[in-house]
Amino acid sequence: MSLRNAVMAALLDGESSGYDLAKAFDASVANFWICTPQQLYRELDRMEADGLIAARTVEQERRPTKRLFSLTAQGHEELTRFTASPHKPTAIRDELLVAVLAADSGDVEAVKASIRERRQWAEAKIARYERLRAKLLGDRTEDEFLATAERVGPYLTLLRGLSFERDNVRWCARCLTVLERRGARLDTAG
Amino acid sequence: MSLRNAVMAALLDGESSGYDLAKAFDASVANFWICTPQQLYRELDRMEADGLIAARTVEQERRPTKRLFSLTAQGHEELTRFTASPHKPTAIRDELLVAVLAADSGDVEAVKASIRERRQWAEAKIARYERLRAKLLGDRTEDEFLATAERVGPYLTLLRGLSFERDNVRWCARCLTVLERRGARLDTAG
DNA sequence: CCCCTGTACTCAACTTGTTGACTAGGCGGA
DNA sequence: TCCGCCTAGTCAACAAGTTGAGTACAGGGG
């Protein structure tokens, strides 16, 4: 039921089409939630049926007709109720972690390659988040922004995504050091 | 398909019952993967059917009969293949983040309470991870452990879980500062 | 002229993950 | 003696997430 709430939170920025939401998810909410377009369209249909969002069909020249969704009063209410409800903690749930857990009796070189790849990916994400951050701040300092901006939620969640990826980079580096050192030891010992 | 691999990685420590695995998951693999007992039992049945694990029924005095599972050669092979395959990056997927994203137009006080609760929970997890770490290290220093231990995977994933929760604590503190400062500002302004 | 990319979706099938209830015996404390 | 917790599971139903293919039109490049 949480994709639903994430969508509603995303619609706080104004009405949006399913297609745009898919891209927006990729660009901003993706800091902490990901989903496929299919999931989004299905959920949007259900949310409309449940009266949480309203659709407005917009005919376009030279482009397919699209449907713009916006939060209804009921949707707003529901979102507020959600923010007031308790939230279960989550785990990382990352395949790479499973691979590292099993690395000792698996293909260590391949795992190291995966870690390197992940580190690069995380660095790219960090760069993207930093650009997004600069865009959000505009010419304000962080303090000015936090004091004056209408919404700080997007900024705070961006910070979480940013530190998550920074942490990933550090951990990847640490793993590589450890695994390489062990590799060297095993080579000279065996 | 990744729970399957997590289970196989957990079975590297030796044979285990479904019940024990559920607890072990809670205690160690939970650093980065969580699941319910039901999921585990279902997956174990499937894995047995697929020949990845073998079950041994053990009758006990004064306790229900249990089934101990262990990795088969095929399971080992499959796990190695998994470690050598590419792994998709994941997002955090945390309800609390969704709540913070929507906090500006939701129930800010309730969100703050949720953040405080989460911070406490994360601190408890950190304490638990630290105990686990001390147990893994025994009387060795970290360097000694990393050089001599048979498996470093569990230690490395433990580090990831640890730094994830430390990051959570820091972020929670940051959010609370920001939200409280804004609350004060809005009170004096409005 | 054709292919590729981008917009804006839809449908179907499947795998994963969640929730709640149920069985059944032993153990310990009030 | 009864209550509730611990061990060790099972069953059913549902919600959420994934994968892959298909539709349709428009613009741009070679």
Side-chain angles (χ1 to χ4, degrees):
Chain A
M1 282 315 224
S2 226
L3 173 57
R4 180 168 280 232
N5 299 299
V7 168
M8 288 194 281
L11 286 177
L12 285 174
D13 277 332
E15 63 178 8
S16 174
S17 69
Y19 188 82
D20 287 336
L21 271 175
K23 280 191 303 175
F25 252 63
D26 201 41
S28 90
V29 187
N31 311 334
F32 59 91
W33 210 276
I34 45 170
C35 71
T36 56
Q38 288 71 14
Q39 233 181 305
L40 217 38
Y41 286 122
R42 188 179 44 174
E43 196 61 35
L44 285 169
D45 284 347
R46 286 185 198 157
M47 289 169 75
E48 197 191 357
D50 292 349
L52 300 173
I53 55 177
R56 185 166 71 88
T57 302
V58 176
E59 313 253 340
Q60 300 176 106
E61 283 176 46
R62 302 157 207 284
R63 260 155 220 289
T65 297
K66 63 180 174 183
R67 295 209 303 151
L68 291 180
F69 297 95
S70 52
L71 268 187
T72 60
Q74 199 193 325
H76 245 103
E77 228 175 273
E78 182 57 35
L79 185 57
T80 300
R81 189 157 35 242
F82 168 76
T83 62
S85 68
H87 308 289
K88 280 165 291 176
T90 48
I92 299 179
R93 256 177 210 260
D94 189 336
E95 284 195 1
L96 182 60
L97 278 274
V98 179
V100 169
L101 181 63
D104 301 288
S105 72
D107 185 336
V108 183
E109 282 313 311
V111 172
K112 276 158 66 182
S114 291
I115 297 172
R116 270 184 224 109
E117 202 178 318
R118 174 62 63 86
R119 185 175 52 180
Q120 280 189 11
W121 184 90
E123 276 161 355
K125 267 237 138 171
I126 291 171
R128 214 164 128 193
Y129 288 160
E130 291 283 21
R131 278 195 300 275
L132 237 134
R133 184 161 169 261
K135 207 165 152 190
L136 268 179
L137 291 181
D139 50 3
R140 291 168 289 190
T141 65
E142 193 187 49
D143 277 347
E144 280 167 7
F145 173 81
L146 289 174
T148 62
E150 247 182 71
R151 293 183 61 199
V152 291
Y155 186 78
L156 290 173
T157 56
L158 178 64
L159 285 187
R160 189 65 192 91
L162 196 51
S163 77
F164 178 66
E165 293 306 341
R166 287 199 178 125
D167 217 10
N168 267 337
V169 170
R170 274 193 298 272
W171 179 76
C172 285
R174 182 92 172 91
C175 281
L176 287 172
T177 308
V178 168
L179 292 177
E180 251 142 44
R181 206 170 284 168
R182 274 174 75 85
R185 189 187 65 84
L186 292 173
D187 286 349
T188 53
Chain B
M1 278 323 220
S2 227
L3 173 57
R4 183 166 278 233
N5 298 298
V7 168
M8 289 195 280
L11 286 177
L12 286 174
D13 277 333
E15 63 177 8
S16 175
S17 69
Y19 188 80
D20 287 337
L21 272 175
K23 279 190 304 176
F25 253 64
D26 200 41
S28 90
V29 186
N31 312 331
F32 59 92
W33 210 277
I34 45 169
C35 70
T36 57
Q38 286 72 15
Q39 230 181 309
L40 217 39
Y41 286 123
R42 187 177 47 175
E43 195 62 36
L44 284 168
D45 284 347
R46 285 184 198 157
M47 289 169 74
E48 197 191 356
D50 292 349
L52 299 174
I53 57 177
R56 186 167 70 89
T57 302
V58 176
E59 312 252 341
Q60 299 175 107
E61 285 176 45
R62 301 160 207 282
R63 259 156 221 288
T65 298
K66 64 180 174 182
R67 296 208 304 151
L68 290 179
F69 297 95
S70 52
L71 268 186
T72 60
Q74 198 194 325
H76 245 103
E77 228 174 272
E78 183 57 36
L79 184 56
T80 301
R81 189 156 38 240
F82 168 75
T83 63
S85 67
H87 309 289
K88 280 165 292 177
T90 48
I92 299 179
R93 253 174 213 262
D94 189 336
E95 285 195 1
L96 182 60
L97 278 275
V98 179
V100 169
L101 180 62
D104 300 289
S105 73
D107 185 337
V108 184
E109 281 313 310
V111 172
K112 275 157 68 181
S114 291
I115 296 172
R116 270 184 224 110
E117 203 179 317
R118 173 62 62 86
R119 185 175 53 181
Q120 278 190 11
W121 185 90
E123 275 161 355
K125 267 240 138 171
I126 291 172
R128 213 165 129 195
Y129 287 161
E130 291 283 21
R131 280 195 298 277
L132 236 135
R133 183 162 171 260
K135 207 165 152 189
L136 268 178
L137 291 179
D139 50 3
R140 292 167 288 190
T141 65
E142 192 187 50
D143 277 347
E144 280 167 7
F145 173 82
L146 290 174
T148 62
E150 248 180 70
R151 294 183 61 199
V152 291
Y155 186 79
L156 290 174
T157 55
L158 179 63
L159 285 186
R160 188 66 191 88
L162 197 51
S163 77
F164 178 65
E165 294 305 341
R166 288 202 177 120
D167 217 11
N168 267 336
V169 169
R170 272 192 298 273
W171 180 76
C172 285
R174 182 93 172 93
C175 282
L176 287 173
T177 307
V178 168
L179 293 178
E180 251 140 46
R181 207 169 284 168
R182 274 174 75 84
R185 188 187 65 82
L186 292 174
D187 284 350
T188 55

